[in-house]
Structures are given as structure tokens and as C-alpha cells.
Amino acid sequence: MDTQQVYNQNAQKWLRLEPSSLSDFTARPLVFDACGELAGRSVLDIGCGEGYCARELKCRGAGDYLGVDLSEQMIEAAKLQEAKEPLGIEYRACDVVEFQTERQFDVCIAVFLFNYLRVEDMNKVFRRVYDALATGGEFIFSVPHPFFPFVRVGENPPFYFSAAGKNYFTDVNQQFEGEIWKRSGEPLHVQCVHKTFTDYFDGLRLAGFYTMPEIRELTVTEELVATDEAFFGPLLNEPLHVLFKVKK
Ligand SMILES: C[S@@+](CC[C@H](N)C(=O)[O-])C[C@H]1O[C@@H](n2cnc3c(N)ncnc32)[C@H](O)[C@@H]1O
């Protein structure tokens, strides 16, 4: 299914004011922590969706904040929430592959955006991010763990991507369909345009990021299982997501 269509149709399901989907527990808090002390630093949030991360980072002290997303409905939902409780976040509907800006940002985040882009498009976006970052600026992004679709077989809650018959190396750029569950029991449709670890590292280097990225492989921890065994238990110690942080 077309990404824009998926998110236009599901914007209301995604809208949330508190953690609800699996990755709101297993990934986003680690992205927020990786942003560190924001203390007025400007943020570009690409693939910002309905603004969940934007609202959190603004509350943690971000300065000028621009969120961009392909889906007009997700941006509409973000703007509605901003109108209800203004935090000073600017939102714009556009395709990040075409997005260009004269502005310079201190931080760029992309939370589960690149699983919607082919390698060539991701590389274009990496270059645009490099140009949009001030010297010393940080690029922080999370993606599905490249191994996850291959180690987690079966279409079961609370998260899966269907990769039956697919190969880690030869099926790069193939789109795997999946679902991620909210703790309420509602599934959200997600997609993963497959990439290997090499693709991420090559793309960053080609874009001009020459310092070693920090990476963290994210999973369900014992601490999370202790809070809700039925929900988190099936994914204990599975390789779910990867967080990258690199400096310009
Ligand atoms: C899984 S959602 C994550 C949203 C948000 N980052 C969050 O963490 O809540 C992925 C988002 O990427 C957006 N997206 C996918 N392809 C895009 C593109 N080419 N340009 C801009 N946004 C895109 C989708 O519209 C969707 O809102």
C-alpha cells in the first residue's frame, strides 16, 4: 500500500498524548534521551507524524522546532493538537526526499522514517540532513533492526514484519508489511523497506558524516516485562530497533 495513503487513512489511530504503541516504550524514550539537554537547541523532525516526538522534545527544552511529514492528515492532526495546546512547533506537509531548507538546525531526528524509503531515497535524505545541520549538529534516528524480520517469524502481537521467503542480502529495498500493537490491543499497520546494516553506514559516509556513529540495538528489557508481561513478554531480548546518533 502507498505510504501516504496508509498514514492519511490512519492518522487518528496514530494520534496519542501518552505512550501507547510498543515502540513508545522500546524506542522513543531512548531517542529522547539521546537528544540530551536540549536547552533551546533547534530541531528538525523529519517524518514527524502527528507530532508525538515533537511535543515531547519541545517540553524537554527544544528551541525552534520544524516537523515535516508526507501525510497531510498526520500534519493536520499535529496542527490541531498544536492549536489546542500551543508549544510553538511548526509543521509542514512535504516529501522529505524533496525537502530543502536554507535553515540550519542543531539536531535532526527521524523516528521510524527510513523504513518507508528505498536506499537511494534514504541516501538523498541523509545528504539533505547533512546540509541542514549546523557544524557540530547531531543526527539521531531509529529504524527497525535489520535482523528483526528474519528472526521473528510468525505474524503475532505485539510486533512483526512479514519476510517469509526473503533474504537478508538479496531482498534489500523489498517492502515487508507488518503490524505493531498498542497496549490497548489495537494494531497499527507498519511497513519496512528492508536495508542491511551496511546500507545505513554507507549512506551516512556518502552524505559526509565521517565520525563514527553511536549505535544502540534496542529490545524489550526485563524491566519492561515486569510492567506488563502479557504485552512485552513475547519480545524479551529480541532485536527490535536500532538507534543511530552521529555528529556533523
Ligand atoms: C511510523 S510513523 C512515525 C511518526 C513519528 N516520527 C513518530 O515517531 O511518531 C512514520 C512517518 O513517516 C512518514 N513518512 C513516510 N515517508 C515519508 C516521506 N517520504 N516524507 C515525509 N514523511 C514520510 C509517514 O507519513 C509517517 O507519518
Side-chain angles (χ1 to χ4, degrees), residues 48-68:
C48 65
E50 48 68 51
Y52 178 81
C53 300
R55 290 186 291 275
E56 177 64 27
L57 291 180
K58 201 61 182 153
C59 291
R60 289 182 181 222
D64 284 351
Y65 203 109
L66 174 61
V68 298

Side-chain angles (χ1 to χ4, degrees), residues 7 9-26 28 50 52 74 156-160 178-190 228 230-232 235:
Y7 281 96
Q9 284 171 6
N10 292 299
Q12 284 315 310
K13 271 196 192 176
W14 276 93
L15 180 61
R16 60 217 193 278
L17 301 176
E18 57 185 27
S20 69
S21 86
L22 174 81
S23 50
D24 292 341
F25 299 90
T26 51
R28 289 182 184 85
E50 48 68 51
Y52 178 81
M74 293 290 260
N156 303 316
F159 186 27
Y160 74 86
E179 288 178 295
I180 193 162
W181 268 258
K182 294 185 183 179
R183 278 180 76 182
S184 63
E186 185 180 30
L188 293 163
H189 179 78
V190 283
D228 184 345
F231 184 70
F232 294 111
L235 292 177

